[in-house]
Amino acid sequence: MEIINQTDIKKYYKIFGYVNFIFSILLVIFLTDIDLKERIFALIAINVGYHMLYLFFSNIYGDTSRIRMNNKFNNVGGGIMLKLFSVFGIVASFTITYFFVSNVISQKEYYGLFAICIPIGLFLGAYSLWTKLNNE
């Protein structure tokens, strides 16, 4: 059962990529407590983190499909390991979001919510891997 297909995942990736970029720009504008150099570094880190996590998980399938097709054991065993890895990514994205939001609320540092799209990138990449493996 597929809730979101690959085209929807790519659409959401673009949408949240724009939202992530806007949030990081707002972070640079409104967070005046720290130096401009550190704010620019935060902008870059937030955007690289979002895209890196998505691309890492979503591209694992293409990188390993040639190796896994060598024999039946590699195909089955590799598929199981990749499914477990994608489940780990999905669970980790929800766990990171929970701890991220609870930490922001408990410390009352609400500007930390500008980086909320990073676990969303992790979720979208892991779910993309999951759907590719299920469509195999």
Side-chain angles (χ1 to χ4, degrees):
M1 183 174 94
E2 188 174 298
I3 298 171
I4 304 172
N5 58 20
Q6 285 296 322
T7 56
D8 290 339
I9 291 172
K10 289 179 183 178
K11 178 180 71 173
Y12 292 134
Y13 169 68
K14 282 184 179 180
I15 291 170
F16 281 110
Y18 291 131
V19 169
N20 187 39
F21 185 69
I22 291 168
F23 281 170
S24 59
I25 293 291
L26 291 174
L27 179 73
V28 169
I29 293 171
F30 291 118
L31 187 63
T32 58
D33 299 345
I34 59 175
D35 189 33
L36 179 65
K37 185 177 176 181
E38 293 176 6
R39 289 184 281 172
I40 297 295
F41 180 73
L43 177 137
I44 293 169
I46 289 170
N47 283 290
V48 166
Y50 172 77
H51 295 292
M52 182 182 63
L53 287 172
Y54 172 79
L55 292 173
F56 174 72
F57 273 91
S58 65
N59 288 334
I60 287 177
Y61 177 78
D63 295 339
T64 61
S65 63
R66 294 184 314 268
I67 298 168
R68 289 188 303 119
M69 294 302 166
N70 288 340
N71 61 33
K72 185 77 170 160
F73 177 76
N74 285 351
N75 194 17
V76 173
I80 290 171
M81 286 189 288
L82 285 176
K83 281 188 179 185
L84 288 174
F85 192 63
S86 67
V87 168
F88 167 75
I90 292 169
V91 170
S93 69
F94 287 116
T95 306
I96 290 169
T97 303
Y98 171 75
F99 285 118
F100 192 65
V101 171
S102 66
N103 190 24
V104 165
I105 291 172
S106 68
Q107 294 182 0
K108 295 184 180 174
E109 295 176 349
Y110 299 110
Y111 59 83
L113 289 175
F114 284 121
I116 196 69
C117 290
I118 293 174
I120 294 172
L122 173 62
F123 173 77
L124 289 174
Y127 193 73
S128 173
L129 175 62
W130 178 262
T131 56
K132 287 176 185 175
L133 289 169
N134 283 338
N135 290 337
E136 188 174 72

